[in-house]
Amino acid sequence: MTMSDIMTTTSNPAESGIDWAEKRYLIIDDFVGIRQLLRESLRNLGAKHIDQASSGGEAMVLLSKTRYDVVLCDYNLGDGKNGQQVLEEARIRNLMLPSSVWLMVSAEKSVESVMGAAEHQPDAYIIKPITEGVLLTRLNRVWLKKQIFREIDQAFADKDYLRAARLCEEQIAHHPLHAIDLHRMRATLLLKSGDPDQAGAVYEQVLQEREYNWARCGLGKIRMANGDADAARMMFQAVITDNRFYIDAFDQLAESFQQQGKTEEAFDVLQKAAKLSPNSVPRQRALGTTALKLGNIPVAEKAFRKCIEIGEFSVRKTVDAYLGLARVCGQKNDTKEAIRLLNAAVHQFGGDQVTLRAKITEGLVYHESGDFRRARKSGDELEVMLADENRQRPDTETCLDMATLLFAVGVKEAPVNLLCYVTRNNHDNAPLLDDVQKIFDKARMADEGQELIKSARQEAADLMNKGVLLWKTGKLTEAVEWMRGARKQLPHNMRVLFNSAQILISHLQENGYQRGLADEAIGVLMHVDAIAPGQQRFAQLMEQLALLAPVSGVVAAAAASEYEAANGPVPESTRWSGA
């Protein structure tokens, strides 16, 4: 690349009316010469505050310390994180301002690279060589557009989705040129707030004007959520026929097949999606898990190994890939490699939950390979872990896996307690309770399992109803205290969590704002959003809290940040930005 390739000036910075001088810039590129050329281009635009990073790791350190207005990031950054992974982590960790501009700058032209970066939604993807004129044109275009979405993005960051959706509607009247983008974001926000009917109406309105694939996919997701998997499947297939590179349609089509129990069809779609855009940790994990379920060991092994490879420097690095690959090795009777993987998982990820899951997988590996003595030993060690009152109960899927293993090695009391715990936390989730019953059936406890499920469901309902009764009879302080106890016993029961948050908010409404109670309510709702994003009641309660706060949204955002600092980022689908 020559100096003239980058330094040719074709635009006047003053023409845009944007003051580029006082904004903060970050250039991320592993070649010092390119960093210097881009720095000079920015200086010619008047920029004064320019930082540089030569690697993904160095970039993350700078992004953690400073909120940049503009980031110019190369895709290939040598060893460590690539540009896609830096962008992905910055999004998930909320290291960017709502108005920040992220330009992915790269010489990469392959479909795989471009699609991988595009999945994490940079504001623009610019192919090198880049002239100063092209850079300024892109910056002006994206910056002006970002300002339209600035307040909307801030409401999104505050998780006040209903307010953000209303702001989209207001902006449509003022900015008709950006109406399509605003409609798209409004529909996304309505879905996140748990209002699929309104979101569907937005998609239908857009589709009357033009067959946008994102609108068809959105409508397909709503059909799928409403249980009409066939209609959803046809919509996703139509999108793929229209655009074979629309990767979201592949992911959603696979999910629709999974919901219908068509595992082989889901597997075929996931294979195509992974071939098209292979650098997605969640996609490779899904492919590996589906292949393992079908007994396709070669594909499962390849997918899990790819998942580990691309996850090494990704914020989405997952222990699931290590556990899945260990299961694959067990199927191949390579228990030595399986145990090595499990030890690596415990070493790299740490924590009680990972140790517990690794021990479950170890038992399953031994059991499936016919080493019943060691499988029983693993089961005995799991029993000891479960007896530890200070140890947090595992998530639902882990509980089911553990119960399955314990029954298989001849243990009864511990898996029964686990399944009753799962039932109490999901007492109105019929599909999950069917899975619980199937585990009882396999353990030859069909009738006893039915009675245990019935009793556990009633126990959960009684615990919740007592708190609601106290609330309805005006005993708010007692109701708050009761629901704290209920949350401790049933930490993943959605109805208990929502009712607890509602009672806390009612206390604030009746007795005045108290920061401690508001933070407690936010913590409960953040936990809900982590377990099951997109609940309508979540959005409604978050809005009620925002209205109660001394400065609307500020306290809620602060409390949410404190929660995430203590518990880690709340998992959610990749954030869609209007720009």
Side-chain angles (χ1 to χ4, degrees), residues 77-119:
L77 297 173
D79 295 336
K81 293 180 185 292
N82 61 30
Q84 171 186 327
Q85 292 166 335
V86 173
L87 171 58
E88 180 181 40
E89 186 167 344
R91 293 277 192 232
I92 289 175
R93 290 175 56 192
N94 295 317
L95 300 180
M96 302 291 291
L97 295 164
S99 58
S100 298
V101 169
W102 190 292
L103 301 183
M104 193 69 78
V105 181
S106 179
E108 286 281 349
K109 298 180 182 180
S110 69
V111 171
E112 175 182 318
S113 299
V114 174
M115 287 192 67
E119 281 197 69

Tab-separated table of all heavy atoms in Angstrom, residues 77-119:
chain	number	residue	atom	x	y	z
A	77	LEU	N	-5.294	-9.167	13.244
A	77	LEU	CA	-4.427	-8.470	14.191
A	77	LEU	C	-3.290	-9.354	14.679
A	77	LEU	O	-2.771	-9.169	15.778
A	77	LEU	CB	-5.259	-7.979	15.389
A	77	LEU	CG	-6.357	-6.962	15.076
A	77	LEU	CD1	-7.221	-6.695	16.309
A	77	LEU	CD2	-5.749	-5.655	14.564
A	78	GLY	N	-2.918	-10.352	13.875
A	78	GLY	CA	-1.835	-11.229	14.285
A	78	GLY	C	-2.291	-12.193	15.370
A	78	GLY	O	-3.449	-12.615	15.413
A	79	ASP	N	-1.377	-12.548	16.280
A	79	ASP	CA	-1.707	-13.489	17.352
A	79	ASP	C	-2.706	-12.870	18.329
A	79	ASP	O	-2.680	-11.667	18.581
A	79	ASP	CB	-0.430	-13.880	18.113
A	79	ASP	CG	0.543	-14.655	17.228
A	79	ASP	OD1	0.094	-15.269	16.245
A	79	ASP	OD2	1.754	-14.620	17.528
A	80	GLY	N	-3.553	-13.708	18.883
A	80	GLY	CA	-4.544	-13.223	19.851
A	80	GLY	C	-5.868	-12.892	19.189
A	80	GLY	O	-6.233	-13.448	18.147
A	81	LYS	N	-6.606	-11.969	19.775
A	81	LYS	CA	-7.925	-11.603	19.275
A	81	LYS	C	-7.824	-10.976	17.884
A	81	LYS	O	-6.928	-10.176	17.629
A	81	LYS	CB	-8.592	-10.581	20.202
A	81	LYS	CG	-8.958	-11.086	21.586
A	81	LYS	CD	-9.607	-9.959	22.387
A	81	LYS	CE	-9.864	-10.382	23.814
A	81	LYS	NZ	-10.898	-11.425	23.911
A	82	ASN	N	-8.780	-11.308	17.010
A	82	ASN	CA	-8.887	-10.578	15.750
A	82	ASN	C	-9.887	-9.441	15.908
A	82	ASN	O	-10.502	-9.272	16.971
A	82	ASN	CB	-9.268	-11.522	14.595
A	82	ASN	CG	-10.624	-12.203	14.802
A	82	ASN	OD1	-11.525	-11.654	15.446
A	82	ASN	ND2	-10.766	-13.394	14.253
A	83	GLY	N	-10.051	-8.646	14.852
A	83	GLY	CA	-10.928	-7.485	14.935
A	83	GLY	C	-12.367	-7.852	15.253
A	83	GLY	O	-13.067	-7.135	15.983
A	84	GLN	N	-12.833	-8.966	14.699
A	84	GLN	CA	-14.198	-9.428	14.974
A	84	GLN	C	-14.383	-9.698	16.462
A	84	GLN	O	-15.396	-9.313	17.058
A	84	GLN	CB	-14.474	-10.697	14.176
A	84	GLN	CG	-15.781	-11.393	14.534
A	84	GLN	CD	-15.942	-12.727	13.807
A	84	GLN	OE1	-15.479	-12.872	12.677
A	84	GLN	NE2	-16.561	-13.690	14.455
A	85	GLN	N	-13.399	-10.331	17.079
A	85	GLN	CA	-13.504	-10.673	18.499
A	85	GLN	C	-13.394	-9.444	19.396
A	85	GLN	O	-14.031	-9.385	20.453
A	85	GLN	CB	-12.435	-11.702	18.849
A	85	GLN	CG	-12.687	-13.061	18.190
A	85	GLN	CD	-11.500	-13.989	18.247
A	85	GLN	OE1	-10.347	-13.542	18.343
A	85	GLN	NE2	-11.749	-15.288	18.185
A	86	VAL	N	-12.600	-8.459	18.961
A	86	VAL	CA	-12.511	-7.210	19.724
A	86	VAL	C	-13.860	-6.494	19.699
A	86	VAL	O	-14.371	-6.037	20.735
A	86	VAL	CB	-11.405	-6.289	19.151
A	86	VAL	CG1	-11.432	-4.928	19.845
A	86	VAL	CG2	-10.039	-6.937	19.321
A	87	LEU	N	-14.465	-6.406	18.517
A	87	LEU	CA	-15.774	-5.766	18.384
A	87	LEU	C	-16.822	-6.515	19.205
A	87	LEU	O	-17.623	-5.912	19.918
A	87	LEU	CB	-16.183	-5.725	16.906
A	87	LEU	CG	-17.619	-5.288	16.588
A	87	LEU	CD1	-17.913	-3.902	17.142
A	87	LEU	CD2	-17.861	-5.318	15.075
A	88	GLU	N	-16.808	-7.834	19.101
A	88	GLU	CA	-17.772	-8.665	19.824
A	88	GLU	C	-17.681	-8.412	21.324
A	88	GLU	O	-18.703	-8.210	22.001
A	88	GLU	CB	-17.479	-10.132	19.501
A	88	GLU	CG	-18.398	-11.138	20.173
A	88	GLU	CD	-18.005	-12.565	19.814
A	88	GLU	OE1	-16.795	-12.872	19.760
A	88	GLU	OE2	-18.907	-13.374	19.595
A	89	GLU	N	-16.469	-8.408	21.856
A	89	GLU	CA	-16.310	-8.205	23.298
A	89	GLU	C	-16.676	-6.784	23.715
A	89	GLU	O	-17.274	-6.569	24.774
A	89	GLU	CB	-14.870	-8.518	23.718
A	89	GLU	CG	-14.670	-8.460	25.215
A	89	GLU	CD	-13.355	-9.057	25.670
A	89	GLU	OE1	-12.714	-9.789	24.885
A	89	GLU	OE2	-12.973	-8.806	26.825
A	90	ALA	N	-16.325	-5.809	22.879
A	90	ALA	CA	-16.690	-4.421	23.188
A	90	ALA	C	-18.192	-4.257	23.264
A	90	ALA	O	-18.721	-3.531	24.120
A	90	ALA	CB	-16.100	-3.479	22.129
A	91	ARG	N	-18.929	-4.930	22.360
A	91	ARG	CA	-20.387	-4.873	22.381
A	91	ARG	C	-20.939	-5.523	23.660
A	91	ARG	O	-21.775	-4.959	24.352
A	91	ARG	CB	-20.962	-5.608	21.171
A	91	ARG	CG	-20.679	-4.955	19.834
A	91	ARG	CD	-21.666	-3.858	19.548
A	91	ARG	NE	-21.573	-3.431	18.164
A	91	ARG	CZ	-21.419	-2.176	17.781
A	91	ARG	NH1	-21.294	-1.220	18.677
A	91	ARG	NH2	-21.374	-1.845	16.503
A	92	ILE	N	-20.451	-6.735	23.946
A	92	ILE	CA	-20.999	-7.485	25.073
A	92	ILE	C	-20.681	-6.813	26.408
A	92	ILE	O	-21.511	-6.787	27.321
A	92	ILE	CB	-20.461	-8.930	25.044
A	92	ILE	CG1	-21.098	-9.687	23.871
A	92	ILE	CG2	-20.754	-9.665	26.353
A	92	ILE	CD1	-20.557	-11.080	23.663
A	93	ARG	N	-19.492	-6.212	26.504
A	93	ARG	CA	-19.095	-5.563	27.758
A	93	ARG	C	-19.524	-4.101	27.828
A	93	ARG	O	-19.206	-3.402	28.782
A	93	ARG	CB	-17.581	-5.667	27.926
A	93	ARG	CG	-17.102	-7.091	28.207
A	93	ARG	CD	-15.585	-7.171	28.257
A	93	ARG	NE	-15.025	-6.245	29.245
A	93	ARG	CZ	-13.733	-5.941	29.353
A	93	ARG	NH1	-12.858	-6.488	28.504
A	93	ARG	NH2	-13.303	-5.101	30.269
A	94	ASN	N	-20.266	-3.638	26.806
A	94	ASN	CA	-20.761	-2.256	26.784
A	94	ASN	C	-19.629	-1.240	26.951
A	94	ASN	O	-19.715	-0.307	27.763
A	94	ASN	CB	-21.825	-2.038	27.870
A	94	ASN	CG	-23.060	-2.864	27.629
A	94	ASN	OD1	-23.534	-2.963	26.503
A	94	ASN	ND2	-23.584	-3.477	28.679
A	95	LEU	N	-18.563	-1.407	26.165
A	95	LEU	CA	-17.408	-0.516	26.249
A	95	LEU	C	-17.489	0.633	25.258
A	95	LEU	O	-16.539	1.419	25.160
A	95	LEU	CB	-16.112	-1.315	26.003
A	95	LEU	CG	-15.836	-2.442	26.986
A	95	LEU	CD1	-14.529	-3.140	26.627
A	95	LEU	CD2	-15.795	-1.937	28.422
A	96	MET	N	-18.613	0.709	24.525
A	96	MET	CA	-18.774	1.770	23.533
A	96	MET	C	-19.903	2.703	23.948
A	96	MET	O	-20.909	2.277	24.527
A	96	MET	CB	-19.107	1.168	22.170
A	96	MET	CG	-18.062	0.188	21.655
A	96	MET	SD	-16.523	1.005	21.223
A	96	MET	CE	-17.041	1.929	19.778
A	97	LEU	N	-19.738	3.986	23.642
A	97	LEU	CA	-20.829	4.942	23.838
A	97	LEU	C	-21.951	4.638	22.846
A	97	LEU	O	-21.702	4.086	21.770
A	97	LEU	CB	-20.328	6.368	23.601
A	97	LEU	CG	-19.282	6.900	24.590
A	97	LEU	CD1	-18.609	8.129	23.996
A	97	LEU	CD2	-19.928	7.221	25.917
A	98	PRO	N	-23.197	5.005	23.171
A	98	PRO	CA	-24.287	4.788	22.211
A	98	PRO	C	-24.029	5.436	20.858
A	98	PRO	O	-24.458	4.936	19.826
A	98	PRO	CB	-25.491	5.423	22.905
A	98	PRO	CG	-25.178	5.342	24.350
A	98	PRO	CD	-23.694	5.533	24.454
A	99	SER	N	-23.306	6.556	20.870
A	99	SER	CA	-23.048	7.283	19.621
A	99	SER	C	-21.719	6.922	18.970
A	99	SER	O	-21.367	7.470	17.936
A	99	SER	CB	-23.060	8.788	19.908
A	99	SER	OG	-22.096	9.106	20.895
A	100	SER	N	-20.954	6.004	19.567
A	100	SER	CA	-19.636	5.658	19.038
A	100	SER	C	-19.738	5.029	17.654
A	100	SER	O	-20.692	4.309	17.356
A	100	SER	CB	-18.919	4.683	19.974
A	100	SER	OG	-18.702	5.258	21.239
A	101	VAL	N	-18.707	5.279	16.832
A	101	VAL	CA	-18.646	4.730	15.478
A	101	VAL	C	-17.538	3.691	15.418
A	101	VAL	O	-16.414	3.942	15.876
A	101	VAL	CB	-18.353	5.856	14.456
A	101	VAL	CG1	-18.011	5.273	13.090
A	101	VAL	CG2	-19.551	6.796	14.350
A	102	TRP	N	-17.856	2.520	14.882
A	102	TRP	CA	-16.862	1.454	14.730
A	102	TRP	C	-16.737	1.123	13.244
A	102	TRP	O	-17.667	0.635	12.630
A	102	TRP	CB	-17.289	0.204	15.488
A	102	TRP	CG	-16.200	-0.837	15.578
A	102	TRP	CD1	-15.676	-1.572	14.559
A	102	TRP	CD2	-15.492	-1.248	16.751
A	102	TRP	NE1	-14.689	-2.409	15.005
A	102	TRP	CE2	-14.553	-2.243	16.356
A	102	TRP	CE3	-15.557	-0.884	18.096
A	102	TRP	CZ2	-13.699	-2.865	17.268
A	102	TRP	CZ3	-14.708	-1.495	18.994
A	102	TRP	CH2	-13.791	-2.475	18.581
A	103	LEU	N	-15.559	1.409	12.680
A	103	LEU	CA	-15.277	1.096	11.289
A	103	LEU	C	-14.306	-0.080	11.228
A	103	LEU	O	-13.191	0.010	11.751
A	103	LEU	CB	-14.672	2.307	10.566
A	103	LEU	CG	-15.510	3.596	10.544
A	103	LEU	CD1	-14.785	4.652	9.712
A	103	LEU	CD2	-16.887	3.351	9.985
A	104	MET	N	-14.729	-1.184	10.618
A	104	MET	CA	-13.846	-2.319	10.417
A	104	MET	C	-13.080	-2.086	9.117
A	104	MET	O	-13.696	-1.955	8.050
A	104	MET	CB	-14.646	-3.614	10.343
A	104	MET	CG	-13.798	-4.870	10.444
A	104	MET	SD	-13.074	-5.107	12.094
A	104	MET	CE	-14.491	-5.754	12.981
A	105	VAL	N	-11.763	-2.000	9.212
A	105	VAL	CA	-10.921	-1.706	8.058
A	105	VAL	C	-10.069	-2.940	7.776
A	105	VAL	O	-9.363	-3.415	8.657
A	105	VAL	CB	-10.006	-0.493	8.330
A	105	VAL	CG1	-9.156	-0.186	7.105
A	105	VAL	CG2	-10.839	0.712	8.733
A	106	SER	N	-10.153	-3.481	6.564
A	106	SER	CA	-9.443	-4.727	6.312
A	106	SER	C	-9.157	-4.939	4.839
A	106	SER	O	-9.870	-4.439	3.973
A	106	SER	CB	-10.271	-5.909	6.838
A	106	SER	OG	-9.621	-7.134	6.594
A	107	ALA	N	-8.102	-5.711	4.581
A	107	ALA	CA	-7.820	-6.149	3.217
A	107	ALA	C	-8.540	-7.453	2.910
A	107	ALA	O	-8.518	-7.932	1.777
A	107	ALA	CB	-6.313	-6.333	3.042
A	108	GLU	N	-9.190	-8.047	3.936
A	108	GLU	CA	-9.904	-9.311	3.766
A	108	GLU	C	-11.151	-9.114	2.900
A	108	GLU	O	-11.984	-8.263	3.190
A	108	GLU	CB	-10.332	-9.867	5.133
A	108	GLU	CG	-9.193	-10.449	5.940
A	108	GLU	CD	-8.818	-11.843	5.475
A	108	GLU	OE1	-9.580	-12.428	4.673
A	108	GLU	OE2	-7.768	-12.340	5.908
A	109	LYS	N	-11.274	-9.929	1.850
A	109	LYS	CA	-12.435	-9.837	0.979
A	109	LYS	C	-13.226	-11.146	0.947
A	109	LYS	O	-14.248	-11.236	0.274
A	109	LYS	CB	-12.006	-9.482	-0.448
A	109	LYS	CG	-11.315	-8.123	-0.565
A	109	LYS	CD	-10.916	-7.830	-2.008
A	109	LYS	CE	-10.189	-6.499	-2.120
A	109	LYS	NZ	-9.788	-6.205	-3.517
A	110	SER	N	-12.749	-12.159	1.671
A	110	SER	CA	-13.429	-13.458	1.633
A	110	SER	C	-14.796	-13.355	2.276
A	110	SER	O	-15.020	-12.558	3.202
A	110	SER	CB	-12.599	-14.513	2.366
A	110	SER	OG	-12.573	-14.251	3.748
A	111	VAL	N	-15.739	-14.167	1.782
A	111	VAL	CA	-17.094	-14.193	2.336
A	111	VAL	C	-17.042	-14.529	3.815
A	111	VAL	O	-17.735	-13.936	4.641
A	111	VAL	CB	-17.971	-15.226	1.578
A	111	VAL	CG1	-19.304	-15.419	2.282
A	111	VAL	CG2	-18.195	-14.767	0.144
A	112	GLU	N	-16.178	-15.496	4.171
A	112	GLU	CA	-16.076	-15.947	5.558
A	112	GLU	C	-15.702	-14.797	6.486
A	112	GLU	O	-16.305	-14.597	7.530
A	112	GLU	CB	-15.029	-17.060	5.644
A	112	GLU	CG	-14.729	-17.546	7.040
A	112	GLU	CD	-13.643	-18.613	7.049
A	112	GLU	OE1	-13.679	-19.495	6.168
A	112	GLU	OE2	-12.777	-18.556	7.930
A	113	SER	N	-14.699	-14.007	6.088
A	113	SER	CA	-14.232	-12.911	6.938
A	113	SER	C	-15.241	-11.777	7.010
A	113	SER	O	-15.535	-11.248	8.085
A	113	SER	CB	-12.893	-12.382	6.419
A	113	SER	OG	-11.914	-13.387	6.442
A	114	VAL	N	-15.768	-11.388	5.860
A	114	VAL	CA	-16.724	-10.280	5.831
A	114	VAL	C	-17.986	-10.634	6.609
A	114	VAL	O	-18.499	-9.845	7.399
A	114	VAL	CB	-17.075	-9.883	4.381
A	114	VAL	CG1	-18.175	-8.831	4.368
A	114	VAL	CG2	-15.835	-9.356	3.664
A	115	MET	N	-18.498	-11.857	6.406
A	115	MET	CA	-19.717	-12.260	7.106
A	115	MET	C	-19.471	-12.405	8.602
A	115	MET	O	-20.317	-12.054	9.414
A	115	MET	CB	-20.248	-13.578	6.542
A	115	MET	CG	-20.867	-13.435	5.170
A	115	MET	SD	-21.782	-14.902	4.680
A	115	MET	CE	-23.114	-14.869	5.855
A	116	GLY	N	-18.288	-12.910	8.971
A	116	GLY	CA	-17.975	-13.053	10.387
A	116	GLY	C	-17.979	-11.708	11.087
A	116	GLY	O	-18.530	-11.558	12.174
A	117	ALA	N	-17.362	-10.713	10.467
A	117	ALA	CA	-17.335	-9.370	11.055
A	117	ALA	C	-18.725	-8.753	11.039
A	117	ALA	O	-19.155	-8.120	12.010
A	117	ALA	CB	-16.355	-8.487	10.291
A	118	ALA	N	-19.460	-8.939	9.938
A	118	ALA	CA	-20.781	-8.327	9.801
A	118	ALA	C	-21.767	-8.838	10.842
A	118	ALA	O	-22.679	-8.123	11.254
A	118	ALA	CB	-21.331	-8.571	8.400
A	119	GLU	N	-21.581	-10.098	11.273
A	119	GLU	CA	-22.489	-10.645	12.280
A	119	GLU	C	-22.441	-9.847	13.574
A	119	GLU	O	-23.388	-9.855	14.351
A	119	GLU	CB	-22.139	-12.108	12.564
A	119	GLU	CG	-22.660	-13.066	11.514
A	119	GLU	CD	-22.658	-14.496	12.017
A	119	GLU	OE1	-23.462	-14.800	12.908
A	119	GLU	OE2	-21.849	-15.293	11.518
